[in-house]
Amino acid sequence: MAKTSGFYSLVCDRCGKQAYTAEGSPTDQNWKSAGHTNADGSQSGRYLCPECFKGYQVIARRQDSEYNAFMAGTDGDGE
C-alpha cells in the first residue's frame, strides 16, 4: 500500500461544504480566501468553496464599483 502525504481537509466558512484534496490539485486551487473590511476599519477573512466564492465575487464587484465611485466623487453623496 502506497503512502501519499500532503492532503487537506477543506471546509467552507459559509455553507459548511467539506472536501479532501491533495495539495496543489485543481480542487485545492479552486477554494479561495475572501476578505472584507468592515465600516469600522476592522478586517475579516473567510475560506470559501468555489460555489460560494462565485457569489462573493458578485458582491465584491458591486462594492468595488461603489468604492471607486465614492473615491471619484461621482456617487452622488455630496459629502
Side-chain angles (χ1 to χ4, degrees):
M1 182 162 138
K3 178 180 176 184
T4 304
S5 60
F7 277 81
Y8 294 114
S9 170
L10 306 172
V11 179
C12 180
D13 287 325
R14 181 172 180 265
C15 72
K17 178 180 178 178
Q18 188 170 13
Y20 296 96
T21 184
E23 180 178 355
S25 73
T27 299
D28 177 34
Q29 294 174 3
N30 287 330
W31 285 61
K32 305 289 184 187
S33 294
H36 176 74
T37 302
N38 298 307
D40 65 1
S42 62
Q43 296 182 345
S44 63
R46 302 290 187 265
Y47 202 62
L48 301 176
C49 68
E51 293 80 17
C52 289
F53 189 73
K54 287 177 188 175
Y56 166 78
Q57 285 180 305
V58 171
I59 294 167
R61 284 187 192 108
R62 184 177 64 239
Q63 291 175 347
D64 289 347
S65 295
E66 292 172 355
Y67 174 78
N68 291 334
F70 172 78
M71 293 305 294
T74 60
D75 61 335
D77 191 23
E79 291 184 34

